[in-house]
Amino acid sequence: MSIIEPSTSPAVDPRELEARVKGIYREVAETPEADFHFEMGRVLAERLGYDPAGLDRIPGEAIDSFTGVGHFLDLASIRPGERVLDLGSGAGMDSFLAALATGPEGQVLGLDMTDAQRHKAQRLAEEAGIRNVEFHAGYIESPPFADGSVDVVISNGVINLSADKPRVFAEAARVLRPGGRLALADIVTETPLPEKISCNATLWAACIGGASQVDDYRAAIEAAGFVVQTLRHHPEYRFLTDSARGTSETHGVRSISLLAIRR
């Protein structure tokens, strides 16, 4: 997400939201053993469906700071030689796994606004000698890449944090070639969230307050020029604190993954 003003006024102040998100995810990068509203790490990744053998091949510190909400790489079907963009790449776990799939002839571009996450991911890539992945500073609403320059866009638990989701999906469509794939996991709701939640920057930063109603989320993807092919739920994902769980149960906050094809 970013401080860029969305085309329609969000219920939450975007600058306050950016500060909260950067603060939380700086802690995620620097102190992954701390307590958060959400689960982290390898136990979570394996429960969501990540292949343990693949995790064994990437830097462990990236897995320690993993805060994803679902598994989608099987949907992405990344092939050798492809160019992949990871929106909100964090400490790099999904980027590193994507780099295994593209092989040395492919490339993965990680994009993240939080310096601590990005610096950690780049350090881990250099230490592990992973040369086909690079991490860029920027916002998911305005990725600094050319039109039609990537084959696959991936994202995990990040788009719900944006105050302008339609713009995120429009930019994903812009950077993808025709027929390119959008594969992601994210948090959505069964019913629209009340204002007391959607105006709360802390709940946004905890991946709850910014969640869209699932039909609206899908409609925004389709309006950007995609055809949704697969949508599945992840009942394995859960929030940790009583307040987050209570909000989740009341409003049907849940994790999904999906695959969409750019027309």
Side-chain angles (χ1 to χ4, degrees), residues 1 12 17 21 25 38 67-69 87 140-141 155-165 168-169 184-189 193 198 201-213 217 237 239 253-256:
M1 54 87 46
V12 68
L17 175 57
V21 171
Y25 289 94
F38 41 76
T67 60
V69 301
L87 297 176
I140 64 175
E141 297 88 350
S155 185
N156 200 335
V158 175
I159 298 174
N160 74 88
L161 297 172
S162 175
D164 196 351
K165 296 171 184 62
V168 175
F169 295 130
L184 60 83
D186 210 358
I187 298 295
V188 298
T189 69
L193 294 172
S198 63
T202 298
L203 287 175
W204 272 73
C207 295
I208 296 175
S212 296
Q213 198 271 337
Y217 191 91
Y237 185 77
F239 294 98
V253 178
R254 53 197 169 105
S255 165
I256 62 165

Side-chain angles (χ1 to χ4, degrees), residues 38-49:
F38 41 76
E39 289 186 271
M40 294 172 54
R42 180 156 184 152
V43 172
L44 168 64
E46 290 192 17
R47 193 171 73 248
L48 291 175

Side-chain angles (χ1 to χ4, degrees), residues 4 40 79 190 198:
I4 297 171
M40 294 172 54
R79 297 184 285 270
E190 293 178 359
S198 63

Side-chain angles (χ1 to χ4, degrees), residues 17-28 36 113-114:
L17 175 57
E18 179 171 342
R20 295 288 181 92
V21 171
K22 283 184 173 180
I24 285 179
Y25 289 94
R26 182 178 63 251
E27 291 182 39
V28 165
F36 299 94
M113 70 174 187
T114 303

Side-chain angles (χ1 to χ4, degrees), residues 11-13 16 194-202 204 209:
V12 68
D13 180 85
E16 180 186 3
E195 189 172 312
K196 66 180 181 179
I197 295 174
S198 63
C199 286
N200 187 317
T202 298
W204 272 73

